[in-house]
C-alpha cells in the first residue's frame, strides 16, 4: 500500500474517532508548550505538497490564533506555526472553532497580517497601504516624446548610413595616417581598452578614466529622479588652478592643467573654444568628446537619461558643464551633417532640465525637419507640456506648417484618407498672421530675389522689422538665423508665397483680424523684458566662427613672462624632456601653427642646434624651412 493511501485510511479513522484524537492532540500540544520545544518532522514538508492533489484543494488557508499574531513577537509566531505542522490536527481544530471565529469577525484575524506585511515593506506602511509611492516613481510627467534612441546617438553610424562604410573607413584611415591633430600629448602611450559609452566612442589614445567625477542621487520629485555631479579633491585642486589661469587669460596655464588632470572639464571646454576660433575644428570636437566621455563615466547606476525620467538641474554649479558640452556636441554633429544624431542629443538636452537653460526648444524643430522626422515633430508639439502652446513660438508656428506639407505629400503618395488636421496652407497663414516680421527677415537672409516678394513686402502688414515685444523679437532673430537654409527649397517658397498673398487678401476684406492677432501676441509674450536674453543668436548660427590673431591673444599669456599665474598647477612639475611626440605642420593653417607653438605640449623636432624657438615662431619645424 502506498503512503498516500495509508494516510487516507488513517484520516478516515480519525474522522470516526474524532473526539478521542482531539483530546489526545490537545493534551500533546499543552505538553509541548510547557516543555518549550516543538516536535518537528521535516518529512511533513514533502507530504504537504502531495496532499494538495487530494481532498485538500478546497480547504481554507491556514490561520493563526489572534493573540499570537503580534509584530514584536514574530519569533513566537514562527515557533507556534512549527508545532502545528500536522495538518490533520489543525484541520480538526479549525472545524471546531470555525463558528467562534465567524462570530468574532474574521477581519480581526487578517488585520495583523497586513500590519506585518507593511512593517517589512521597503516603502514603509504608508506607501505599502496606499500604493501611490511606487506609482509616483514609475510615471514621469511626459517621458514618451523625449525618449532617446541610443542607436542614433553615434554620428559615425549616421555617416555610414549617408555615405557608406567604405567612404567613412577610407576617410578615417587618411586622418589617422596624415592628421597630426590626433597625436597624443606626451608621445604615444600603450593602447588600452576604454570604457564603452553611448554618447561618444572613446579613442584608444585617450587617458584612462581617473574617477575625478561622480554623481549623487538627490531624490524623486514629481516622478523625476534628480541627480548632481560631485567633484573629488583632486578635481577641486585643478579647478582652483583653472580659475587662477583664467583670471590672467593664461592659455599655457590652462593647457598645463590637462597634463595632470586630463579630464578637467572647464580646461577642456576652454581649449576646445580656443581651437575652434583658430580654425582647428577637429581638435575642438575631440576635446568636447573627451568631456562627454568623462561626464558619462561618472554617471550614477540609477541615472537613466535616455528614458526621459531623470533631471540634472542647471542651477547646480557642477551640472553646468554637461549642458555646455552637449550643446556644443550637438552643433558639431550638425556641422558634419548628422542631423538625426543631433536631434537625439537635442532631445536629451531638453529632457535633463525642464527649464531648458540652453534653448534646445528653439532648434529641436530644425533638427527634426532636417532628419525628416515629421510625424515625431507633430507628436512632440501635442505631447510636450509648456507654459504656452508650442505653436505660439515662432519656430514651431512655421515648422509645423512645413511638417504638415511633407506629411500631406506622404499621405497622398500612399493614398491615405484625408486627415482632419489643419492643412499646411492654413498653418502657414496662421504663422504669418501671428509673426509677420519673420517674412521680411527671411527675404533678406535667404535671400529671396523674385519680384513677387518685393510686392508682398510693400503691404503695411509685412513692412515692420520688429513687433515691439523684446522676447518675441529675440526668438524671431534666433529662428531666422537657425532655419533660413530650409527656405531655399522651392516647395517651401511656394507655400510661403501663397500664404502671404492669402493673408493680404484676408486683411483687405477684414482688417480687424490684425488687431486680434496682435492681442494673441501680447497675451502669449506679456513680459516687458527679454526673457531669453541669455540665449545668444550667434550660438544658433550655422556659420563657422573664426577670430583674427589679435583677438586670440586674449587666450594667451605673455610668453616673455613665462605664461604661468601664481598658484598654477604648472608649478607642480614639468613634463619630461623629449617626451613629446613631434608634430607635422604640413598643409596646416600657419596662424594656427603659430598659436599652437606657444602651448607646452607643442613640439616640432629635436632641440639640438638651438633653433627650436625660432622654428616655432615661424610655424616651421626642422627641415621645413
Amino acid at each position: 500500500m502506498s503512503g498516500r493511501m495509508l494516510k487516507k485510511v488513517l484520516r478516515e479513522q480519525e474522522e470516526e474517532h474524532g473526539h478521542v484524537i482531539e483530546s489526545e492532540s490537545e493534551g500533546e500540544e499543552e505538553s509541548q508548550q510547557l516543555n518549550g520545544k516543538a516536535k518537528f518532522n521535516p518529512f511533513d514538508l514533502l507530504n504537504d505538497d502531495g496532499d494538495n492533489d487530494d481532498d485538500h484543494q478546497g480547504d481554507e488557508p491556514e490561520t493563526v490564533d489572534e493573540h499570537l499574531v503580534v509584530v514584536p513577537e514574530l519569533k513566537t509566531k514562527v515557533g507556534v506555526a512549527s508545532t502545528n505542522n500536522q495538518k490533520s490536527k489543525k484541520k480538526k481544530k479549525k472545524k471546531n472553532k470555525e463558528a467562534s471565529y465567524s462570530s468574532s469577525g474574521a477581519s480581526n484575524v487578517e488585520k495583523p497580517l497586513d500590519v506585518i506585511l507593511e512593517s517589512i515593506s521597503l516603502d514603509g506602511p504608508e506607501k505599502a497601504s496606499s500604493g501611490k509611492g511606487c506609482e509616483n516613481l514609475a510615471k514621469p510627467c511626459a517621458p514618451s516624446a523625449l525618449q532617446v534612441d541610443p542607436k542614433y546617438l553615434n554620428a559615425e553610424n549616421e555617416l555610414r548610413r549617408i555615405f557608406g562604410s567604405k567612404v567613412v573607413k577610407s576617410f578615417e584611415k587618411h586622418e589617422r595616417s596624415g592628421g597630426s591633430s590626433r597625436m597624443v600629448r606626451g608621445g604615444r602611450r600603450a593602447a588600452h581598452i576604454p570604457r564603452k559609452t553611448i554618447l561618444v566612442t572613446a579613442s584608444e589614445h585617450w587617458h584612462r578614466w581617473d574617477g575625478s567625477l561622480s554623481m549623487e542621487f538627490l531624490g524623486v520629485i514629481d516622478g523625476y529622479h534628480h541627480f548632481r555631479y560631485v567633484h573629488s579633491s583632486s578635481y577641486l585642486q585643478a579647478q582652483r588652478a583653472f580659475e587662477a589661469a583664467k583670471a590672467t587669460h593664461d592659455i599655457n596655464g590652462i593647457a598645463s592643467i590637462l597634463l595632470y588632470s586630463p579630464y578637467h572639464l572647464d580646461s577642456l571646454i576652454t581649449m576646445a573654444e580656443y581651437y575652434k576660433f583658430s580654425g582647428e575644428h577637429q581638435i575642438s570636437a575631440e576635446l568636447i568628446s573627451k568631456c562627454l566621455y568623462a561626464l558619462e563615466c561618472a554617471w550614477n547606476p540609477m541615472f537613466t537619461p535616455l528614458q526621459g525620467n531623470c533631471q540634472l538641474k542647471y542651477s547646480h554649479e557642477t551640472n553646468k558643464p554637461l549642458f555646455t558640452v552637449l550643446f556644443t556636441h550637438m552643433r558639431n554633429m550638425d556641422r558634419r551633417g548628422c542631423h538625426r544624431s543631433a536631434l537625439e542629443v537635442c532631445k536629451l538636452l531638453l529632457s535633463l532640465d525642464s527649464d531648458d537653460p540652453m534653448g534646445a526648444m528653439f532648434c529641436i524643430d530644425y533638427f527634426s525637419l532636417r532628419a525628416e522626422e515629421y510625424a515625431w515633430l507633430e507628436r512632440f508639439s501635442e505631447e510636450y507640456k509648456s507654459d504656452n502652446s508650442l505653436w505660439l513660438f515662432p519656430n514651431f508656428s512655421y515648422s509645423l506648417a512645413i511638417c504638415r506639407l511633407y506629411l500631406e505629400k506622404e499621405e497622398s503618395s500612399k493614398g491615405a484618407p484625408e486627415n482632419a488636421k489643419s492643412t499646411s496652407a492654413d498653418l502657414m497663414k496662421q504663422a504669418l498672421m501671428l509673426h509677420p516680421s519673420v517674412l521680411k527677415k527671411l527675404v533678406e537672409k535667404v535671400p529671396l530675389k523674385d519680384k513677387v516678394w518685393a510686392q508682398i513686402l510693400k503691404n503695411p502688414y509685412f513692412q515692420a522689422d520688429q513687433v515691439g515685444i523684446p522676447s518675441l523679437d529675440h526668438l524671431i532673430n534666433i529662428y531666422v538665423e537657425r532655419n533660413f537654409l530650409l527656405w531655399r527649397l522651392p516647395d517651401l517658397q511656394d507655400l510661403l508665397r501663397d500664404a502671404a498673398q492669402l493673408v493680404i487678401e484676408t486683411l483687405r476684406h477684414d482688417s480687424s483680424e490684425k488687431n486680434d492677432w496682435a492681442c494673441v501676441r501680447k497675451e502669449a509674450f506679456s513680459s516687458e523684458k527679454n526673457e531669453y536674453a541669455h540665449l545668444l543668436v550667434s550660438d544658433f548660427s550655422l556659420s563657422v566662427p573664426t577670430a583674427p590673431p589679435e583677438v586670440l591673444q586674449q587666450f594667451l599669456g605673455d610668453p616673455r613672462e613665462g605664461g604661468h599665474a601664481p598658484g598654477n598647477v604648472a608649478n607642480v612639475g614639468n613634463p619630461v624632456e623629449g617626451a613629446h611626440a613631434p608634430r607635422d605642420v604640413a598643409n596646416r593653417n600657419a596662424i594656427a601653427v603659430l598659436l599652437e607653438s606657444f602651448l607646452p605640449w607643442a613640439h616640432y623636432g629635436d632641440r639640438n642646434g638651438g633653433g627650436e624657438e625660432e622654428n616655432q615662431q615661424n610655424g616651421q619645424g626642422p627641415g621645413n624651412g
Side-chain angles (χ1 to χ4, degrees):
M1 180 182 296
S2 65
R4 184 172 299 177
M5 291 297 297
L6 179 61
K7 290 177 64 66
K8 190 172 183 180
V9 172
L10 292 175
R11 192 176 297 111
E12 293 176 355
Q13 294 178 358
E14 290 173 358
E15 292 176 354
E16 295 176 358
H17 307 282
H19 62 281
V20 179
I21 297 176
E22 180 181 358
S23 61
E24 293 177 355
S25 62
E26 290 178 354
E28 184 179 356
E29 287 179 5
E30 291 176 359
S31 62
Q32 289 176 355
Q33 293 179 358
L34 292 175
N35 294 332
K37 295 182 180 179
K39 296 181 180 180
F40 176 70
N41 185 5
F43 291 99
D44 290 337
L45 296 176
L46 300 177
N47 295 333
D48 291 345
D49 296 335
D51 293 340
N52 293 335
D53 298 332
D54 295 330
D55 54 347
H56 293 275
Q57 296 180 355
D59 292 341
E60 298 176 357
E62 298 179 7
T63 57
V64 190
D65 291 343
E66 182 178 359
H67 66 280
L68 295 176
V69 185
V70 183
V71 176
E73 300 178 357
L74 290 176
K75 294 183 179 180
T76 307
K77 181 194 65 156
V78 175
V80 174
S82 63
T83 59
N84 299 331
N85 51 29
Q86 298 181 1
K87 288 198 170 184
S88 59
K89 299 177 181 180
K90 287 188 292 184
K91 295 184 182 304
K92 290 298 297 180
K93 291 176 65 179
K94 285 191 295 182
K95 291 179 180 179
N96 294 334
K97 296 181 180 181
E98 184 177 3
S100 61
Y101 274 122
S102 59
S103 60
S104 61
S107 60
N108 295 332
V109 181
E110 296 176 357
K111 287 182 180 178
L113 294 176
D114 295 335
V115 173
I116 296 174
L117 293 176
E118 292 175 1
S119 65
I120 64 176
S121 173
L122 296 177
D123 296 330
E126 295 181 358
K127 291 184 178 180
S129 60
S130 63
K132 294 181 180 179
C134 297
E135 184 180 358
N136 189 28
L137 291 176
K139 293 180 66 177
C141 294
S144 58
L146 293 178
Q147 285 184 347
V148 180
D149 194 341
K151 68 180 180 181
Y152 292 111
L153 280 173
N154 194 331
E156 305 299 330
N157 294 337
E158 185 170 0
L159 289 175
R160 291 186 179 93
R161 289 193 296 268
I162 297 173
F163 301 104
S165 58
K166 292 183 179 180
V167 176
V168 176
K169 286 181 180 179
S170 62
F171 177 78
E172 291 177 350
K173 183 178 180 181
H174 173 72
E175 289 295 322
R176 286 193 297 266
S177 60
S180 64
S181 61
R182 293 189 179 273
M183 190 68 67
V184 185
R185 301 194 307 269
R188 293 186 180 274
R189 62 176 60 85
H192 68 280
I193 301 176
R195 290 189 182 185
K196 287 187 177 181
T197 53
I198 58 177
L199 295 178
V200 294
T201 302
S203 178
E204 293 182 356
H205 71 260
W206 290 359
H207 293 79
R208 293 182 183 273
W209 166 239
D210 55 4
S212 57
L213 292 172
S214 61
M215 181 183 286
E216 64 176 352
F217 174 63
L218 300 179
V220 180
I221 303 175
D222 297 332
Y224 287 100
H225 294 63
H226 287 250
F227 297 86
R228 178 179 62 187
Y229 279 100
V230 179
H231 296 163
S232 63
S233 58
S234 61
Y235 189 95
L236 293 176
Q237 181 181 1
Q239 184 66 26
R240 289 191 293 269
F242 170 80
E243 296 295 339
K246 180 181 176 182
T248 58
H249 302 284
D250 183 9
I251 194 67
N252 293 334
I254 294 176
S256 299
I257 295 173
L258 295 177
L259 294 175
Y260 305 97
S261 299
Y263 291 107
H264 182 255
L265 300 178
D266 287 339
S267 297
L268 288 172
I269 294 172
T270 303
M271 296 306 300
E273 287 291 311
Y274 165 76
Y275 278 114
K276 180 184 69 175
F277 283 105
S278 63
E280 294 284 352
H281 298 285
Q282 190 174 354
I283 306 179
S284 176
E286 184 175 1
L287 293 174
I288 293 298
S289 298
K290 290 186 70 174
C291 289
L292 284 175
Y293 176 71
L295 289 165
E296 185 173 349
C297 287
W299 282 0
N300 190 290
M302 297 175 60
F303 186 64
T304 55
L306 303 187
Q307 303 300 321
N309 60 349
C310 296
Q311 291 276 287
L312 277 169
K313 285 298 182 182
Y314 189 78
S315 56
H316 297 294
E317 192 69 26
T318 55
N319 293 340
K320 291 182 178 180
L322 176 63
F323 291 88
T324 303
V325 171
L326 279 177
F327 190 83
T328 307
H329 183 59
M330 178 183 68
R331 294 186 61 190
N332 291 338
M333 288 190 292
D334 177 33
R335 190 174 293 113
R336 299 175 66 184
C338 302
H339 302 108
R340 187 68 173 88
S341 300
L343 174 61
E344 297 302 318
V345 176
C346 191
K347 289 159 61 176
L348 175 62
L349 190 61
L350 185 59
S351 67
L352 289 177
D353 192 340
S354 56
D355 297 332
D356 190 20
M358 304 303 296
M361 179 71 70
F362 307 114
C363 54
I364 195 170
D365 59 302
Y366 171 79
F367 292 127
S368 59
L369 291 176
R370 293 298 302 268
E372 299 182 357
E373 292 292 320
Y374 309 122
W376 178 86
L377 181 59
E378 277 197 349
R379 183 169 65 91
F380 172 76
S381 64
E382 296 172 356
E383 294 182 2
Y384 188 76
K385 296 181 179 180
S386 179
D387 295 337
N388 296 326
S389 298
L390 289 184
W391 69 272
L392 293 174
F393 291 103
N395 58 318
F396 278 96
S397 61
Y398 283 89
S399 295
L400 288 176
I402 299 174
C403 177
R404 174 46 47 188
L405 174 66
Y406 288 109
L407 288 177
E408 288 173 353
K409 292 183 177 180
E410 292 180 2
E411 293 170 358
S412 62
S413 62
K414 297 179 181 178
E418 294 185 0
N419 200 319
K421 295 183 179 180
S422 300
T423 63
S424 58
D426 293 337
L427 292 176
M428 184 57 67
K429 176 187 173 183
Q430 212 172 44
L432 287 171
M433 295 290 291
L434 185 60
H435 307 294
S437 62
V438 173
L439 180 62
K440 185 175 182 179
K441 293 180 181 295
L442 285 177
V443 171
E444 296 174 354
K445 184 72 175 178
V446 173
L448 301 176
K449 298 181 179 181
D450 293 342
K451 294 181 180 180
V452 64
W453 297 110
Q455 296 177 358
I456 292 174
L457 292 180
K458 290 180 180 179
N459 188 279
Y461 194 68
F462 295 116
Q463 286 182 352
D465 292 332
Q466 297 181 351
V467 295
I469 302 176
S471 298
L472 183 55
D473 287 330
H474 189 68
L475 292 181
I476 289 175
N477 292 333
I478 290 177
Y479 168 73
V480 174
E481 188 68 30
R482 172 78 271 183
N483 294 51
F484 76 94
L485 278 180
L486 295 174
W487 295 100
R488 293 182 177 178
L489 298 175
D491 294 343
L492 300 187
Q493 292 181 13
D494 295 341
L495 176 64
L496 183 63
R497 183 191 65 244
D498 297 340
Q501 292 174 347
L502 186 59
V503 168
I504 295 175
E505 188 67 22
T506 302
L507 293 177
R508 185 179 302 169
H509 291 84
D510 186 7
S511 59
S512 62
E513 289 196 21
K514 178 180 178 180
N515 298 327
D516 295 339
W517 287 104
C519 293
V520 174
R521 285 194 298 270
K522 292 181 180 179
E523 183 70 21
F525 303 93
S526 57
S527 178
E528 297 181 356
K529 63 179 182 178
N530 187 3
E531 297 178 342
Y532 305 97
H534 62 283
L535 303 177
L536 301 180
V537 177
S538 59
D539 290 339
F540 297 86
S541 176
L542 298 175
S543 60
V544 179
T546 55
E550 56 270 16
V551 176
L552 284 175
Q553 293 300 324
Q554 295 180 1
F555 287 93
L556 299 171
D558 189 352
R560 293 170 296 182
E561 297 178 0
H564 299 304
N568 198 315
V569 74
N571 297 328
V572 177
N574 296 317
V576 180
E577 287 288 331
H580 300 294
R583 287 177 174 265
D584 186 15
V585 297
N587 301 323
R588 294 186 60 196
N589 191 327
I591 297 178
V593 174
L594 173 62
L595 296 172
E596 186 183 57
S597 65
F598 293 108
L599 301 178
W601 61 76
H603 181 56
Y604 297 92
D606 296 330
R607 296 181 180 270
N608 298 333
E612 183 190 11
E613 181 179 357
E614 181 180 358
N615 291 332
Q616 288 181 353
Q617 294 177 355
N618 295 330
Q620 298 175 349
N624 292 333

